[in-house]
Amino acid sequence: MSLIDLSAAELVAQLRRGDVSSVDVTQAFLNRIAAVDKTINAFLRVDADRALAAATKIDERRARGDSLGLLAGLPVAVKDVLCIVDEPTTCASRMLERFAPPYDATVVAKLRSADAVFIGRTNMDEFAMGSSGENSAFGPTRNPWDTERITGGSSSGSAAAVAARMAPAAIGSDTGGSIRQPAGLCGITGLKPTYGRVSRYGLVAFASSLDQVGPMARSAEDAALLLEAIAGHDPLDSTSLDRPAEKYSETVSRPLEKLRLGVAKEHFGEGLDGEVAAAVREAIRVYESLGATVEEISLPHSRYAVATYYIIAPCEASSNLARYDGAHYGHRTDEKAMLAELDTERKALVAVGKKEAADDLDSPLVRMYRQSRSEAFGSEVKRRIMLGTYALSAGYYDAYYLKALKVRRLIRQDYDEAFAKVDLIIGPVTATPAYKIGEKADDPLAMYLDDVYTVSANLAGCCGIAFPCGQSTGNLPIGIQLQGSPLDEDKLLRAANMYQQTTKLHSSTPPV
Amino acid sequence: MVENRTIKTAQLKVGMEIHVELSTRSKMFSRSANVAHPDHYDATPNTLVDPVVLGLPGALPVMNRAAIESSIMVGLALNCSIAEFSRWDRKNYFYPDLPKGYQISQYDLPLCFDGELEFIGANGQPQTVSIIRAHLEEDTGKLSHDISCRHGSMHVNALNQSLIDLNRAGTPLLEIVTHPDLKYADDAVIFCQELRNVCRFLNVTGGIMQRGHMRFEPNVNVIITTDEGKQIATPIVEVKNLNSFKAVKGAIEHEFNRQIKQWQETGLEMGAGMKSTRGWDADRGVTVLQREKEDAHDYRYFPDPDLPPVVVTEEWKQSIATCIPELPQQRRRRYVDEYNLTDADALTLTTDFDVSNYFESCIDMLQQRTTSDMTAAHMGKTVAKLLLNAGARRANEHHRELHDLGVTPEQIAQLIEMREANTIGSSAADELFDLLCEHDADATTLAESCGLLQVTDSAQLDSWIAQALEAEPEAAANYAGGKDNALGRIIGTIMKLSNGKADAKSASDQIRRQLRDN
């Protein structure tokens, strides 16, 4: 068995015992990246020298007998949405193409103190806006199971990197399903923690009240290891929950007794692919065979979830992305050309006697803003900024944003009521397996509807995990989702692990 | 038909918006040092920054508890209700001094609301201005357009760029908004001064106007009564960013006249969305239009998802209330009640924080030192008299504030003790005050070395009296004959002979005994 086929937990164990060196492990994954990433495009940047230097240092410290962190020597891929000091952090946008933050995100700092090796920065939908991975300014990521197909998004690169064995584990972020959905479509395990469980400090904000950072790995066991390293209270994030991180990696192997699963009837309605429905129902039977009881529940407001999400997320995004104005950092339009153009426009208007129109032309500052943003943002980002700006405008605020907040509260109440009866909610993570690249490119609404099973957890602040539960006739992974009450990550991981220990479905590998 | 625009009366109506930069150690939402804190007043541009202040991707705000406590303190001092629950909102707009593209402020749930501040108006009568709200927000950075002047060595390219200094960005800013209760420019100024004074008594701001610690924005309009008895309100004008009391007065007075003239010319009245914004041109003494009503911003306020609401428990509020020191109004009342000062004197000694503290220190020092049986009331009255006479005169001459004359509270106390013990005469005391302005020495030592101590030694006094009676035989005869006012001339001569060192009272007694009592 090659090193790249080992699980993160196994690699950490071997590293700890000294069976392998971090340099060997890192090199193995670097080789794999070199071999397949031209096809997959999971990584935006890989700095082999830097990774190997970090690995060398950890090996040296281990040789000296220093005490090392939880992930010592394990390569981890990081979505390009988390700040790493003095390294480009682009959010797959032209806007931040040459931006290198002067500080580490808290999650990055935690991974550093756990002695993880940063192997590369993963591709994503621009500013985490998208459900296919196609919205990257640097090209779409391709699904390792079928390179004609999407990976899902927005954590496209992290999902593909883990699925294609280019990294044993990766960090993603999930605002409306961006960890769980690509995990489902790429056949890996991805966990969106409870809002506030993992610090958002240094996570480039998309929608602040929904964003969460989480682990993406090959199994629940590996995800537990990663979550343990990154979770915990952070005084730099006021929305961070003041609760210590749990020892997920130690508890994940303990099966849950008397597990009560809820099945929401709303999850099995129109639009759900037959094969997906069948795979999910089969998984439910597996749980029953493991002693779980299954109860039908209702999440009556879940049908408003997508609409609610696509008000709240763009509203927050329109404000969060205002800072990219070309004035302080990031892309700025060529000012000389811009001023010349402005001058030409003015002269042309004056020449035909349209003096008023000439006076109404943009000021140089406004033109600089307008042009810098027009040039550097992709169309989906612009669409969401416009949606949000509109919805927050005077006269529309009450009808859209305020209303959405009220519905959000109802959605949360649905969950509270459900979790009074069951431990976890089980259901699909996507309606269909991965579709072809370009298939929904002209239909943003269809793409928004892909988020139907995942956005509710973000709106309610719950946690959720996605992992493979079968394959379609086209050999594409089918995912399943478990959702848990706030701070029930431990239950999610243990339940997923029970399933994975029984079915071993998570260990199928893609053909790439 | 031409409208009749003859004016019978015109009444000014002014409400104030006041921005107060709080002098907390760190900024409103980050650990970065605060430029409004005395330790950082002159920091090099763009050194008081961090990822939060710079609005870098991924940076998050964390509220500064001290800033909230300072604001609650101001709110309580202004008799405001303190919201049990208030929250942070984002005010969205683009400007290069605002790195995040939004300002964190409080929109519909301010921390403090429904208060009032009483002050003594220009007519000497107490009046009250209602406070609508006081909310916390973060200040913006500063742009310098005049690059050549402020950054002489800096390269300026052909694009005529501006420079940004983000040291001020994120400074805690308390915005206080009043009802339009003010009717005179002078009262508006006194109100602003009193508010500054309260904030300085509370020690929540440096309050240095030149540094922009307080910025005033009057909202001005005029209620005109026509000859026909019709009442008309002119459109409201907000004058932005005034940072001197002179500018507040000038801008309000100018607006009063300008709005009346504008109404006479155009007949324009107040209506919905008619508010415009003007700036103050101090050189020309006029306000200048900045923004017409149709350019009104839509700030797209919404609750900031990065920050939890501010919850103020009764307990927290009470613990803050106990930290509130004696405020100018209370001090004024105490001076009148305890020291028997006139209202006017009490006002003079409390309208400036430093002067008031100086007065207090002088009394404290006197209480600590004195061995005489002076009552507290007498001490207060005596110090006040000294400061308001000898002190105020010097302050006027030197264009300085009382506390800035260079006389220490200890010296003041010594001077008063000498007067009480009658070891120095009144004119010598006055002379000594001058010397104290220039010297650090002990007042007694200084008086001694300069020969200012009173001579009560009878041999010396007798000799001066003898000389004086000889020099003024007519006055001596008149006094002996019963004309009391002749004594003045004799004493005057004695003082001249003694260079002011003779004790006038002892001399008078002695002369009376000599010329009348036998």
Side-chain angles (χ1 to χ4, degrees):
Chain A
M1 212 180 199
S2 149
L3 283 174
I4 61 164
D5 293 316
L6 297 176
S7 75
E10 178 59 27
L11 283 170
V12 166
Q14 291 200 10
L15 283 160
R16 197 173 294 154
R17 289 196 302 265
D19 296 352
V20 289
S21 71
S22 178
V23 168
D24 289 345
V25 173
T26 305
Q27 189 62 62
F29 283 101
L30 287 169
N31 292 346
R32 175 66 176 168
I33 294 169
V36 303
D37 202 40
K38 270 204 178 68
T39 318
I40 305 296
N41 198 25
F43 285 91
L44 293 175
R45 284 175 313 284
V46 176
D47 188 337
D49 293 342
R50 205 164 176 162
L52 289 169
T56 306
K57 232 179 212 155
I58 291 161
D59 286 339
E60 284 168 3
R61 286 171 53 210
R62 197 188 300 278
R64 277 205 305 268
D66 290 359
S67 85
L68 295 173
L70 185 67
L71 305 175
L74 183 76
V76 174
V78 178
K79 187 177 179 179
D80 212 23
V81 72
L82 284 153
C83 290
I84 299 190
V85 63
D86 295 334
E87 261 190 38
T89 297
T90 70
C91 295
S93 177
R94 295 280 173 212
M95 182 58 86
L96 294 178
E97 200 172 352
R98 277 174 293 278
F99 175 73
Y103 74 106
D104 272 342
T106 298
V107 165
V108 168
K110 279 178 169 274
L111 288 171
R112 244 188 241 288
S113 67
D115 295 312
V117 172
F118 300 122
I119 194 167
R121 307 302 294 273
T122 58
N123 203 355
M124 56 187 281
D125 286 296
E126 185 180 2
F127 283 105
M129 297 178 187
S131 328
S132 71
E134 295 167 288
N135 295 336
S136 166
F138 308 110
T141 309
R142 293 175 177 274
N143 195 316
W145 292 85
D146 176 350
T147 55
E148 295 299 302
R149 291 179 187 268
I150 60 146
T151 51
S154 65
S155 308
S156 54
S158 291
V162 171
R165 270 65 179 152
M166 290 187 276
I171 298 294
S173 70
D174 189 316
T175 306
S178 286
I179 287 175
R180 291 159 291 156
Q181 189 249 18
L185 296 180
C186 292
I188 66 160
T189 302
L191 183 145
K192 182 204 92 76
T194 306
Y195 185 76
R197 174 70 293 186
V198 177
S199 168
R200 292 188 297 115
Y201 188 76
L203 166 71
V204 180
F206 158 20
S208 313
S209 75
L210 302 159
D211 295 341
Q212 261 300 286
V213 180
M216 301 176 81
R218 276 179 231 161
S219 64
E221 191 188 12
D222 288 359
L225 192 64
L226 219 55
L227 181 62
E228 185 175 321
I230 64 172
H233 178 242
D234 180 9
L236 297 177
D237 173 2
S238 312
T239 61
S240 155
L241 296 169
D242 196 359
R243 297 276 286 272
E246 294 171 44
K247 301 275 180 205
Y248 304 109
S249 67
E250 291 170 18
T251 54
V252 63
S253 54
R254 291 182 213 154
L256 291 162
E257 279 168 39
K258 293 180 186 158
L259 176 64
R260 296 169 303 163
L261 290 178
V263 176
K265 53 183 182 219
E266 292 83 1
H267 285 167
F268 292 85
E270 206 185 330
L272 184 64
D273 177 86
E275 274 189 317
V276 174
V280 171
R281 293 211 183 278
E282 177 53 31
I284 293 168
R285 273 190 288 279
V286 170
Y287 272 109
E288 282 176 313
S289 75
L290 293 170
T293 55
V294 177
E295 190 177 327
E296 183 170 280
I297 55 151
S298 177
L299 300 169
H301 297 94
S302 61
R303 64 189 164 125
Y304 304 116
V306 170
T308 304
Y309 175 83
Y310 277 99
I311 296 294
I312 291 173
C315 282
E316 293 180 8
S318 70
S319 174
N320 283 333
L321 272 66
R323 66 189 64 198
Y324 310 113
D325 60 4
H328 301 88
Y329 53 83
H331 175 77
R332 185 189 295 183
T333 192
D334 178 341
E335 280 171 291
K336 272 189 185 158
M338 178 205 83
L339 288 172
E341 199 178 316
L342 206 50
D343 198 44
T344 311
E345 286 173 35
R346 180 170 296 112
K347 281 179 181 152
L349 287 167
V350 172
V352 295
K354 292 186 173 167
K355 178 136 188 337
E356 267 185 29
D359 290 343
D360 284 348
L361 276 176
D362 288 343
S363 68
L365 177 66
V366 168
R367 179 61 66 91
M368 188 279 283
Y369 285 151
R370 196 192 295 281
Q371 207 147 301
S372 301
R373 288 165 69 83
S374 297
E375 288 165 358
F377 284 141
S379 57
E380 182 59 31
V381 172
K382 286 178 191 162
R383 182 178 295 122
R384 294 196 194 190
I385 289 173
M386 287 188 279
L387 276 173
T389 305
Y390 179 84
L392 285 178
S393 298
Y396 298 100
Y397 178 87
D398 288 2
Y400 293 111
Y401 189 75
L402 205 60
K403 188 84 164 185
L405 288 186
K406 288 175 183 165
V407 180
R408 181 177 187 173
R409 180 170 288 230
L410 295 173
I411 290 170
R412 180 163 193 153
Q413 279 172 11
D414 285 355
Y415 274 91
D416 288 345
E417 282 164 30
F419 288 128
K421 286 186 268 181
V422 298
D423 297 310
L424 302 171
I425 298 168
I426 189 166
V429 61
T430 61
T432 66
Y435 52 86
K436 289 239 164 96
I437 288 173
E439 200 176 312
K440 295 188 184 176
D442 299 326
D443 193 352
L445 200 58
M447 210 164 319
Y448 292 174
L449 290 170
D450 285 346
D451 301 338
V452 62
Y453 303 114
T454 51
V455 290
S456 296
N458 301 79
L459 289 168
C462 304
C463 50
I465 192 169
F467 51 93
C469 70
Q471 279 185 13
S472 70
T473 45
N475 279 331
L476 295 169
I478 293 172
I480 191 165
Q481 175 177 223
L482 296 175
Q483 296 178 78
S485 197
L487 290 171
D488 266 354
E489 283 81 0
D490 179 61
K491 263 189 211 167
L492 284 183
L493 289 163
R494 289 164 69 185
N497 184 64
M498 282 163 70
Y499 178 86
Q500 292 179 337
Q501 292 309 313
T502 308
T503 66
K504 302 287 179 194
L505 275 169
H506 64 292
S507 44
S508 325
T509 52
V512 69
Chain B
M1 195 189 80
V2 179
E3 238 180 292
N4 182 1
R5 295 193 195 125
T6 9
I7 296 172
K8 193 164 151 203
T9 59
Q11 180 61 62
L12 182 70
K13 197 171 175 184
V14 181
M16 296 295 308
E17 285 176 28
I18 303 102
H19 290 91
V20 185
E21 281 187 357
L22 304 179
S23 55
T24 47
R25 199 147 269 292
S26 59
K27 294 196 180 187
M28 186 63 239
F29 296 111
S30 93
R31 294 169 174 178
S32 221
N34 176 10
V35 76
H37 185 278
D39 287 355
H40 307 290
Y41 282 169
D42 296 307
T44 308
N46 294 310
T47 54
L48 309 180
V49 297
D50 65 4
V52 179
V53 174
L54 294 170
L56 292 185
L60 293 172
V62 177
M63 25 177 165
N64 178 346
R65 193 180 164 92
I68 293 169
E69 291 182 341
S70 295
S71 303
I72 292 175
M73 212 187 259
V74 174
L76 291 172
L78 298 178
N79 291 308
C80 286
S81 303
I82 307 301
E84 286 168 37
F85 180 96
S86 64
R87 69 169 178 228
W88 304 103
D89 298 286
R90 290 187 184 180
K91 179 180 181 179
N92 295 283
Y93 65 97
F94 286 95
Y95 205 62
D97 65 6
L98 189 67
K100 295 191 301 299
Y102 60 84
Q103 179 190 31
I104 305 176
S105 180
Q106 297 191 299
Y107 180 53
D108 54 355
L109 297 174
L111 188 57
C112 316
F113 58 97
D114 287 352
E116 58 178 31
L117 179 63
E118 196 192 284
F119 63 100
I120 309 295
N123 61 1
Q125 296 305 308
Q127 53 174 291
T128 303
V129 166
S130 307
I131 310 289
I132 298 174
R133 57 186 281 165
H135 71 258
L136 248 182
E137 58 189 29
E138 51 176 351
D139 209 343
T140 61
K142 263 187 191 164
L143 298 185
S144 12
H145 304 289
D146 192 3
I147 295 167
S148 52
C149 159
R150 285 195 208 160
H151 306 274
S153 61
M154 207 91 95
H155 170 74
V156 183
N157 71 18
L159 288 171
N160 191 20
Q161 291 176 332
S162 302
L163 296 182
I164 306 173
D165 176 11
L166 293 176
N167 277 358
R168 198 182 67 179
T171 285
L173 199 60
L174 183 67
E175 180 174 339
I176 302 164
V177 184
T178 80
H179 273 286
D181 293 342
L182 292 155
K183 295 193 170 89
Y184 300 95
D186 286 336
D187 285 343
V189 169
I190 297 171
F191 167 77
C192 293
Q193 287 169 333
E194 180 74 356
L195 188 62
R196 170 174 179 263
N197 209 19
V198 168
C199 290
R200 296 194 65 211
F201 269 69
L202 295 170
N203 197 24
V204 298
T205 181
I208 304 172
M209 306 290 287
Q210 295 88 326
R211 292 191 182 273
H213 290 169
M214 292 189 84
R215 308 194 293 270
F216 302 94
E217 303 189 334
N219 282 253
V220 185
N221 76 336
V222 183
I223 309 299
I224 293 169
T225 310
T226 67
D227 263 358
E228 293 147 357
K230 210 174 128 195
Q231 282 219 333
I232 281 135
T234 58
I236 298 175
V237 166
E238 179 173 355
V239 188
K240 296 299 265 188
N241 252 329
L242 304 175
N243 56 10
S244 76
F245 296 121
K246 204 176 147 203
V248 170
K249 183 171 153 78
I252 293 174
E253 283 172 348
H254 179 263
E255 268 309 301
F256 179 63
N257 295 322
R258 192 194 64 77
Q259 291 186 18
I260 291 172
K261 191 157 166 265
Q262 176 183 278
W263 178 75
Q264 285 175 315
E265 285 166 3
T266 66
L268 210 59
E269 293 180 32
M270 186 167 80
M274 292 280 283
K275 186 166 153 177
S276 60
T277 303
R278 300 178 76 90
W280 172 241
D281 182 335
D283 295 334
R284 293 193 293 141
V286 297
T287 61
V288 186
L289 185 68
Q290 285 183 337
R291 204 165 67 212
E292 286 276 22
K293 55 204 187 289
E294 58 260 33
D295 301 326
H297 272 119
D298 179 356
Y299 289 117
R300 305 188 311 280
Y301 281 101
F302 76 105
D304 192 329
D306 287 331
L307 289 162
V310 184
V311 177
V312 182
T313 60
E314 190 58 32
E315 205 183 351
W316 191 20
K317 195 171 87 179
Q318 288 311 325
S319 77
I320 295 166
T322 57
C323 300
I324 295 182
E326 185 183 41
L327 294 170
Q329 271 188 51
Q330 296 159 327
R331 219 172 242 193
R332 219 163 278 159
R333 217 166 295 136
R334 180 163 63 84
Y335 291 170
V336 172
D337 294 348
E338 288 183 16
Y339 301 158
N340 258 321
L341 301 192
T342 62
D343 287 342
D345 285 352
L347 189 62
T348 310
L349 289 169
T350 50
T351 40
D352 183 276
F353 178 60
D354 295 319
V355 168
S356 188
N357 279 355
Y358 178 67
F359 176 55
E360 289 282 310
S361 308
C362 292
I363 295 174
D364 282 351
M365 193 53 77
L366 188 58
Q367 275 171 346
Q368 280 173 37
R369 292 178 49 95
T370 195
T371 46
S372 74
D373 51 0
M374 264 195 265
T375 60
H378 182 57
M379 281 192 252
K381 180 96 179 169
T382 312
V383 175
K385 233 166 94 184
L386 180 66
L387 295 187
L388 292 170
N389 294 323
R393 186 151 50 78
R394 263 53 164 218
N396 254 329
E397 284 165 14
H398 300 299
H399 302 289
R400 283 190 166 166
E401 292 290 347
L402 264 177
H403 65 280
D404 240 3
L405 287 170
V407 187
T408 65
E410 191 166 16
Q411 290 175 322
I412 293 284
Q414 289 165 342
L415 176 55
I416 287 173
E417 280 185 297
M418 285 156 72
R419 278 295 290 147
E420 286 295 316
N422 207 19
T423 54
I424 191 166
S426 70
S427 61
D430 203 50
E431 206 174 311
L432 181 58
F433 199 101
D434 269 333
L435 292 168
L436 292 174
C437 293
E438 310 296 331
H439 295 87
D440 294 338
D442 185 275
T444 324
T445 319
L446 201 59
E448 213 167 330
S449 66
C450 297
L452 292 173
L453 291 183
Q454 203 138 244
V455 176
T456 43
D457 164 52
S458 59
Q460 174 66 68
L461 208 55
D462 286 350
S463 145
W464 283 328
I465 291 171
Q467 285 178 57
L469 293 177
E470 207 180 301
E472 301 284 350
E474 202 178 328
N478 284 342
Y479 181 68
K483 284 186 180 160
D484 282 354
N485 56 8
L487 182 61
R489 196 172 177 91
I490 304 167
I491 297 293
T493 308
I494 292 171
M495 293 320 270
K496 215 178 279 171
L497 287 166
S498 69
N499 279 325
K501 285 186 281 180
D503 176 5
K505 195 172 173 303
S506 307
S508 306
D509 292 348
Q510 180 65 24
I511 292 168
R512 189 182 312 116
R513 276 196 299 275
Q514 259 180 295
L515 299 184
R516 284 185 176 177
D517 290 356
N518 39 17

